[in-house]
Amino acid sequence: MIDVPFNHPAWIEIDLAQFKKNVLAIRQHIGMRVKLCLPIKSNAYGHGLIHIAHAAVAAKVDCLAVSCLQEGILLRQANINIPILVLGAIHVEQIADFMEYDLEFTISSHFKAKMVAQACGHLHKSVKVHLEVDTGMNRTGVRVETAPIVLDFFRSTDCFELKGVYSHL
């Protein structure tokens, strides 16, 4: 195997002081009643998950969003204590870990909601969830017309703590 150095003519640098000013400007615009969730999935888009998470917490974001359970666990292990939403798909064998690390996760179908409810019944615990609604991207999320059915299921099942509803635009 040949070791070839990777030199690319493009790069990005993040000015953390300006990052914090930008977050504060958004906060001033939306006010304190609106929650601000900052997606830092996929290693903060290549900029360093832990580093950017600490800067986001210092800038007073309310919540962080990551792509998978493993990223959420890394943030908890780095003493990030604000809510963390996992945007990606979940598997039934991960549900106990979501609970252990106090991670919120996405429900994107009625099938997944039923699967999670069954797992919670076996574990005798509840979970914090967000409902993803597909508003036209046609990738993930419940259809708009199905969302009320899933919301009713959440309300009728003791194991769900609905934290939010979102869409990927």
Side-chain angles (χ1 to χ4, degrees):
M1 182 166 166
I2 299 173
D3 185 20
V4 178
F6 184 78
N7 293 318
H8 196 279
W11 73 92
I12 189 168
E13 294 179 18
I14 297 178
D15 180 333
L16 291 179
Q18 188 60 51
F19 170 80
K20 291 175 188 176
K21 286 180 187 176
N22 292 346
V23 171
L24 290 172
I26 293 168
R27 171 62 69 207
Q28 287 176 347
H29 181 73
I30 65 173
M32 294 305 292
R33 290 183 49 189
V34 175
K35 299 292 184 192
L36 178 58
C37 181
L38 180 68
I40 59 169
K41 62 185 187 169
S42 303
N43 192 30
Y45 301 93
H47 301 295
L49 182 73
I50 306 302
H51 189 66
I52 297 299
H54 282 294
V57 169
K60 305 291 186 213
V61 300
D62 299 296
C63 176
L64 296 170
V66 295
S67 62
C68 61
L69 172 65
Q70 292 79 1
E71 285 187 330
I73 291 171
L74 286 172
L75 291 178
R76 289 293 187 236
Q77 290 172 340
N79 296 315
I80 302 296
N81 296 315
I82 65 173
I84 299 170
L85 168 61
V86 176
L87 299 168
I90 60 160
H91 303 281
V92 69
E93 64 273 4
Q94 297 176 324
I95 294 170
D97 288 330
F98 280 103
M99 292 174 192
E100 180 181 344
Y101 289 96
D102 191 28
L103 300 171
E104 301 173 10
F105 61 90
T106 298
I107 298 286
S108 59
S109 72
H110 197 202
F111 171 81
K112 286 280 184 166
K114 290 177 186 176
M115 177 193 77
V116 170
Q118 185 177 23
C120 288
H122 292 304
L123 296 168
H124 306 289
K125 293 190 176 187
S126 62
V127 290
K128 298 174 184 175
V129 297
H130 294 247
L131 178 63
E132 181 183 10
V133 179
D134 180 3
T135 55
M137 195 173 220
N138 298 321
R139 285 181 38 197
T140 58
V142 298
R143 294 187 322 268
V144 170
E145 58 273 11
T146 308
I149 296 167
V150 178
L151 288 169
D152 286 343
F153 182 74
F154 288 162
R155 288 186 196 105
S156 69
T157 310
D158 291 339
C159 70
F160 293 107
E161 182 181 344
L162 180 62
K163 301 302 281 185
V165 178
Y166 75 90
S167 181
H168 186 174
L169 304 172

